[in-house]
Amino acid sequence: MWPSIAAISTTPLFGRLEHGGVFFVTRLKDNAAFEVVEECEIPQNRNIRADQLIRLHRRPAKPTILTCWRRIVAWDAENEREIVLLTNLLEFGSTTIAAIYKERWKIETVLQKRSSKNLT
């Protein structure tokens, strides 16, 4: 897992990560262009609002990326907002993927706090 990946819109990077054997869970930018290939079953009584297999689109002059990734929309009750995730973890459940992202975010927050302390 590559925990420091941010909300990136460059699809060639995702392809390079996947071909390199790297698994990722990251936020999908609001302006990301994609097509839904399949709607997946949403677990009941969970914070998951959508689970989809998607294909990302590149700039208009380039063709659609053929690789399918998962787009998961999770409800963040603490901050009262939706979080849209992108991952290449196709075998994991959507609640597990949301939990992975949440834990990754906790680690990143701790590292940012440590880094800011070192700068002062």
Side-chain angles (χ1 to χ4, degrees):
M1 181 78 55
W2 189 20
S4 62
I5 190 167
I8 305 170
S9 64
T10 46
T11 55
L13 174 61
F14 292 132
R16 286 196 306 272
L17 289 174
E18 188 161 38
H19 289 299
V22 176
F23 295 104
F24 61 84
V25 177
T26 188
R27 290 186 63 175
L28 185 63
K29 284 194 166 193
D30 293 336
N31 65 350
F34 62 90
E35 67 177 290
V36 177
V37 175
E38 182 181 334
E39 295 282 347
C40 302
E41 188 174 333
I42 300 171
Q44 293 183 358
N45 303 319
R46 301 291 181 160
N47 66 332
I48 304 302
R49 293 192 167 178
D51 185 357
Q52 305 166 321
L53 287 179
I54 66 166
R55 284 194 184 102
L56 292 175
H57 296 276
R58 294 187 191 185
R59 293 176 299 246
K62 295 189 177 184
T64 299
I65 303 296
L66 296 179
T67 303
C68 286
W69 290 303
R70 288 213 15 229
R71 177 182 178 267
I72 296 171
V73 180
W75 177 250
D76 176 6
E78 186 176 321
N79 296 304
E80 296 185 354
R81 64 181 177 160
E82 287 185 339
I83 297 176
V84 182
L85 304 173
L86 180 71
T87 184
N88 63 345
L89 294 168
L90 303 180
E91 303 297 321
F92 285 42
S94 54
T95 53
T96 301
I97 291 168
I100 288 170
Y101 180 80
K102 186 175 183 178
E103 292 303 312
R104 181 207 67 87
W105 188 251
K106 286 179 187 178
I107 293 167
E108 191 167 308
T109 302
V110 168
L111 292 175
Q112 287 175 352
K113 286 179 183 178
R114 292 180 91 193
S115 177
S116 66
K117 284 182 181 180
N118 291 337
L119 294 175
T120 58

